[in-house]
Coordinates of all heavy atoms in Angstrom, one line a residue:
T15 N 11.6 13.2 2.7 CA 11.2 14.0 1.5 C 12.2 15.1 1.3 O 12.7 15.4 0.2 CB 9.8 14.5 1.5 OG1 8.9 13.3 1.7 CG2 9.4 15.2 0.3
A16 N 12.6 15.8 2.4 CA 13.5 17.0 2.3 C 14.9 16.5 1.9 O 15.6 17.2 1.1 CB 13.5 17.7 3.6
T17 N 15.3 15.4 2.4 CA 16.7 14.9 2.1 C 16.8 14.0 1.0 O 17.9 13.7 0.4 CB 17.3 14.2 3.4 OG1 16.5 13.0 3.6 CG2 17.3 15.1 4.6
G18 N 15.7 13.4 0.5 CA 15.7 12.4 -0.5 C 16.3 11.0 -0.1 O 16.6 10.2 -0.9
A19 N 16.3 10.8 1.2 CA 16.8 9.6 1.8 C 15.6 8.7 2.2 O 15.0 8.9 3.2 CB 17.7 9.8 3.0
Y20 N 15.3 7.8 1.3 CA 14.1 7.0 1.4 C 14.3 5.5 1.9 O 13.4 4.7 1.9 CB 13.3 6.9 0.1 CG 13.0 8.3 -0.4 CD1 13.6 8.8 -1.6 CD2 12.0 9.1 0.2 CE1 13.3 10.1 -2.1 CE2 11.7 10.4 -0.3 CZ 12.4 10.8 -1.4 OH 12.1 12.1 -1.9
E21 N 15.5 5.2 2.2 CA 15.9 3.8 2.6 C 15.1 3.5 3.9 O 14.9 4.3 4.7 CB 17.4 3.7 2.8 CG 18.2 3.7 1.5 CD 18.3 5.1 0.9 OE1 18.3 6.1 1.7 OE2 18.4 5.3 -0.3
T22 N 14.7 2.2 4.0 CA 14.0 1.8 5.2 C 14.4 0.3 5.4 O 14.6 -0.4 4.5 CB 12.5 2.0 5.1 OG1 11.9 1.6 6.3 CG2 11.9 1.1 4.0
E23 N 14.3 -0.1 6.7 CA 14.5 -1.5 7.1 C 13.2 -1.9 7.8 O 13.1 -3.0 8.3 CB 15.7 -1.6 8.0 CG 17.0 -1.4 7.3 CD 18.2 -1.5 8.2 OE1 18.1 -2.0 9.3 OE2 19.3 -1.1 7.7
V24 N 12.2 -1.0 7.9 CA 11.0 -1.3 8.7 C 9.9 -1.8 7.8 O 9.3 -2.8 8.0 CB 10.6 0.0 9.5 CG1 9.4 -0.3 10.3 CG2 11.8 0.4 10.3
S25 N 9.5 -1.0 6.9 CA 8.3 -1.3 6.1 C 8.4 -0.7 4.7 O 8.2 0.5 4.5 CB 7.0 -0.7 6.8 OG 5.9 -1.1 6.1
S26 N 8.8 -1.5 3.7 CA 9.0 -1.0 2.4 C 7.7 -0.7 1.6 O 6.6 -1.1 2.0 CB 9.8 -2.1 1.6 OG 8.9 -3.2 1.4
L27 N 7.9 0.1 0.6 CA 6.8 0.4 -0.3 C 6.1 -0.9 -0.9 O 4.9 -0.9 -1.0 CB 7.2 1.4 -1.4 CG 6.1 1.9 -2.3 CD1 5.0 2.6 -1.5 CD2 6.7 2.8 -3.3
D28 N 7.0 -1.9 -1.2 CA 6.4 -3.1 -1.7 C 5.4 -3.7 -0.7 O 4.3 -4.1 -1.1 CB 7.5 -4.2 -1.9 CG 8.3 -4.0 -3.1 OD1 7.8 -3.4 -4.1 OD2 9.5 -4.4 -3.1
L29 N 5.7 -3.7 0.5 CA 4.9 -4.2 1.6 C 3.6 -3.4 1.7 O 2.5 -4.0 1.8 CB 5.6 -4.3 2.9 CG 4.8 -4.9 4.1 CD1 4.5 -6.3 3.8 CD2 5.6 -4.7 5.4
K30 N 3.7 -2.1 1.7 CA 2.6 -1.2 1.7 C 1.7 -1.4 0.5 O 0.5 -1.4 0.6 CB 3.0 0.2 1.9 CG 3.6 0.5 3.3 CD 4.1 1.9 3.4 CE 4.6 2.3 4.8 NZ 5.0 1.3 5.7
A31 N 2.3 -1.5 -0.7 CA 1.5 -1.7 -1.9 C 0.7 -3.0 -1.8 O -0.4 -3.1 -2.3 CB 2.5 -1.7 -3.1
D32 N 1.3 -4.1 -1.2 CA 0.6 -5.3 -1.1 C -0.6 -5.2 -0.2 O -1.7 -5.7 -0.4 CB 1.5 -6.4 -0.5 CG 2.5 -6.9 -1.5 OD1 2.4 -6.7 -2.7 OD2 3.5 -7.6 -1.1
G33 N -0.4 -4.4 0.9 CA -1.5 -4.1 1.9 C -2.6 -3.3 1.2 O -3.8 -3.6 1.4
L34 N -2.2 -2.4 0.4 CA -3.2 -1.5 -0.3 C -4.0 -2.3 -1.3 O -5.2 -2.1 -1.5 CB -2.5 -0.3 -0.9 CG -3.4 0.7 -1.6 CD1 -4.4 1.2 -0.6 CD2 -2.6 1.8 -2.2
A35 N -3.3 -3.3 -2.0 CA -4.0 -4.2 -2.9 C -5.0 -5.0 -2.2 O -6.1 -5.2 -2.8 CB -3.0 -5.1 -3.6
L36 N -4.8 -5.4 -1.0 CA -5.8 -6.1 -0.2 C -7.0 -5.2 0.1 O -8.1 -5.7 0.1 CB -5.2 -6.7 1.1 CG -4.1 -7.8 0.9 CD1 -3.5 -8.1 2.3 CD2 -4.8 -9.0 0.3
L37 N -6.7 -4.0 0.5 CA -7.8 -3.0 0.8 C -8.6 -2.8 -0.5 O -9.8 -2.8 -0.4 CB -7.2 -1.7 1.3 CG -8.2 -0.6 1.5 CD1 -9.3 -0.9 2.6 CD2 -7.5 0.7 1.9
F38 N -7.9 -2.6 -1.6 CA -8.6 -2.4 -2.9 C -9.5 -3.6 -3.2 O -10.7 -3.4 -3.5 CB -7.6 -2.2 -4.0 CG -8.1 -1.9 -5.3 CD1 -8.4 -0.6 -5.6 CD2 -8.4 -2.9 -6.2 CE1 -8.9 -0.2 -6.9 CE2 -8.9 -2.6 -7.5 CZ -9.2 -1.3 -7.8
E39 N -9.0 -4.8 -3.1 CA -9.8 -6.0 -3.4 C -10.9 -6.2 -2.4 O -12.0 -6.5 -2.8 CB -8.9 -7.2 -3.4 CG -9.5 -8.4 -3.9 CD -10.2 -8.3 -5.3 OE1 -9.6 -7.5 -6.1 OE2 -11.2 -8.9 -5.6
A40 N -10.7 -5.9 -1.1 CA -11.8 -6.0 -0.1 C -12.9 -5.0 -0.4 O -14.1 -5.3 -0.3 CB -11.3 -5.8 1.3
S41 N -12.5 -3.8 -0.8 CA -13.5 -2.8 -1.1 C -14.3 -3.2 -2.3 O -15.6 -3.1 -2.3 CB -12.8 -1.4 -1.4 OG -12.1 -1.0 -0.3
R42 N -13.7 -3.7 -3.3 CA -14.4 -4.2 -4.5 C -15.3 -5.4 -4.2 O -16.5 -5.4 -4.5 CB -13.4 -4.6 -5.6 CG -14.1 -5.0 -6.9 CD -13.2 -5.8 -7.8 NE -12.7 -7.1 -7.2 CZ -13.5 -8.2 -7.0 NH1 -14.8 -8.1 -7.4 NH2 -13.0 -9.2 -6.5
A43 N -14.8 -6.3 -3.4 CA -15.5 -7.5 -3.1 C -16.7 -7.2 -2.2 O -17.8 -7.9 -2.3 CB -14.6 -8.6 -2.4
Q44 N -16.6 -6.3 -1.3 CA -17.7 -5.9 -0.4 C -18.7 -5.0 -1.1 O -19.7 -4.6 -0.5 CB -17.2 -5.3 0.8 CG -16.4 -6.2 1.7 CD -17.1 -7.4 2.2 OE1 -17.1 -8.5 1.6 NE2 -17.9 -7.3 3.3
G45 N -18.5 -4.6 -2.3 CA -19.4 -3.8 -3.1 C -19.5 -2.3 -2.8 O -20.4 -1.6 -3.1
I46 N -18.4 -1.8 -2.1 CA -18.4 -0.4 -1.8 C -17.7 0.5 -2.8 O -17.6 1.7 -2.6 CB -17.9 -0.1 -0.3 CG1 -16.5 -0.6 -0.2 CG2 -18.8 -0.8 0.7 CD1 -15.8 -0.2 1.1
G47 N -17.1 -0.2 -3.8 CA -16.4 0.5 -4.8 C -14.9 0.8 -4.5 O -14.5 0.6 -3.3
T48 N -14.2 1.2 -5.5 CA -12.7 1.4 -5.3 C -12.3 2.8 -5.6 O -11.1 3.0 -5.8 CB -12.0 0.4 -6.3 OG1 -12.4 0.7 -7.6 CG2 -12.3 -1.0 -5.9
A49 N -13.2 3.8 -5.6 CA -12.9 5.1 -6.0 C -11.9 5.8 -5.0 O -11.0 6.5 -5.4 CB -14.1 6.0 -6.1

């Protein structure tokens, strides 16, 4: 954040966004809400 160098070869934001979408959907499906 301090340097503005966000490049990664380990775990991209795309991958994290996909995982978060799964958490979002599981929360909705299990009836606990998505707030």
Side-chain angles (χ1 to χ4, degrees):
T15 301
T17 64
Y20 304 109
E21 291 73 29
T22 185
E23 295 179 10
V24 178
S25 182
S26 68
L27 185 58
D28 281 334
L29 182 63
K30 289 178 176 23
D32 288 346
L34 186 56
L36 292 173
L37 174 64
F38 184 88
E39 189 55 34
S41 298
R42 187 198 59 72
Q44 294 299 94
I46 61 170
T48 58

